Amino acid sequence: MDIQGKTVLLTGGTAGIGKEMALQLKELGATVVVTGRNAERVAAMQTMGFEVIESGLSDAAGVDALVEAWGERELDILINNAGQLVDHDFRKGTPDADAADDCIYANLNAPIRLGGALMERLKSRSEAAIVNVTSGLAIAPAARQPVYCATKAGLRFYTLSLREQLKDTNIHVIEALPPVVDTQMNDGNPMKKMPASECARQIIEAIVKNRDEANIGMTKALRVTESIHPALARSLTLKF
């Protein structure tokens, strides 16, 4: 896909991987609209020339407000990047059930609802793409983050099914599986982290080259293991 001239809606685009994708897509000639909630980050992106739709995606009202704000504009690429991380560890006490609900909605329900609401707009273009950002944790889950891992695994399988449904259409469905990336979400994580700019570069490369998946960093090894020995891949629960 040629990025030049494309209109992109990128959720969670004011920090981390999303911000880096926004910058790189703009450099390639796309018109990029990002979403975000943090006022300081929103203002920073606006200063850099981006349109920002302020929207939380942890409930249906937030997704619907985003769709309404988008209006009747054309759309070529939808990148479902926004996500929430929640520790859910009974070894440390009783987890916050409301935080778990927010995580489930933001990471799984919101991409499904948003994609459904914008599907006809994508179908009207000569070529279009939906990019769902999951995680290597969809393959090898982390013990202390079962809710986050479950949402990413759910989005992974939704993406696989959606790709099959849309295989004969103009819409290419891509799954991006980042490793541990150096973002605010991973502050305090002791594992080696990939720079957000490099992760973003590899996701965009997958879009340009019409790949089905962007397997990034350690996720490449996990995918090889999964293809050879699925049970072993599932057993590689990370202990951090």
Side-chain angles (χ1 to χ4, degrees):
M1 173 183 283
D2 184 3
I3 299 297
Q4 176 73 38
K6 296 293 192 295
T7 299
V8 181
L9 174 57
L10 169 57
T11 67
T14 61
I17 299 169
K19 179 179 178 181
E20 293 297 332
M21 279 195 285
L23 292 169
Q24 293 179 32
L25 287 165
K26 184 179 180 182
E27 185 71 19
L28 291 172
T31 298
V32 185
V33 180
V34 303
T35 75
R37 296 182 298 170
N38 180 282
E40 184 176 341
R41 293 174 185 166
V42 167
M45 292 300 287
Q46 290 171 331
T47 299
M48 288 186 282
F50 289 94
E51 179 183 350
V52 184
I53 299 175
E54 296 187 56
S55 178
L57 300 177
S58 58
D59 57 31
V63 177
D64 293 345
L66 171 56
V67 173
E68 183 176 358
W70 188 258
E72 298 302 318
R73 283 181 281 188
E74 297 174 341
L75 178 62
D76 300 296
I77 304 173
L78 170 62
I79 304 178
N80 287 305
N81 169 73
Q84 295 184 21
L85 181 66
V86 58
D87 281 348
H88 192 85
D89 194 339
F90 286 95
R91 298 168 299 187
K92 298 179 180 179
T94 302
D96 186 334
D98 290 336
D101 286 345
D102 286 350
C103 178
I104 293 167
Y105 203 97
N107 294 0
L108 180 58
N109 296 35
I112 294 171
R113 189 179 184 92
L114 184 59
L118 298 174
M119 185 65 70
E120 292 306 314
R121 227 156 301 188
L122 292 163
K123 285 183 177 180
S124 71
R125 309 300 289 161
S126 59
E127 61 174 351
I130 296 173
V131 183
N132 289 332
V133 179
T134 63
S135 171
L137 295 176
I139 301 169
R144 68 186 175 90
Q145 295 164 348
V147 174
Y148 178 84
C149 297
T151 62
K152 292 302 184 178
L155 185 58
R156 170 168 169 71
F157 279 92
Y158 179 82
T159 303
L160 290 170
S161 297
L162 185 64
R163 183 182 302 126
E164 178 65 20
Q165 287 185 16
L166 299 178
K167 66 181 181 181
D168 295 323
T169 74
N170 63 310
I171 303 174
H172 189 58
V173 180
I174 302 164
E175 179 185 8
L177 296 98
V180 180
V181 178
D182 190 8
T183 65
Q184 184 181 32
M185 181 181 287
N186 287 316
D187 284 350
N189 188 325
M191 295 186 69
K192 183 178 180 180
K193 304 168 190 175
M194 173 179 282
S197 58
E198 174 57 19
C199 182
R201 185 195 68 77
Q202 292 192 37
I203 295 173
I204 293 170
E205 181 180 63
I207 299 172
V208 171
K209 295 186 176 180
N210 292 317
R211 293 176 180 160
D212 289 345
E213 294 183 357
N215 294 299
I216 304 163
M218 66 175 285
T219 305
K220 293 179 182 178
L222 286 172
R223 291 290 286 116
V224 170
T225 303
E226 184 186 42
S227 66
I228 298 170
H229 199 316
L232 177 60
R234 288 193 295 272
S235 74
L236 294 174
T237 302
L238 306 179
K239 301 300 184 182
F240 57 87

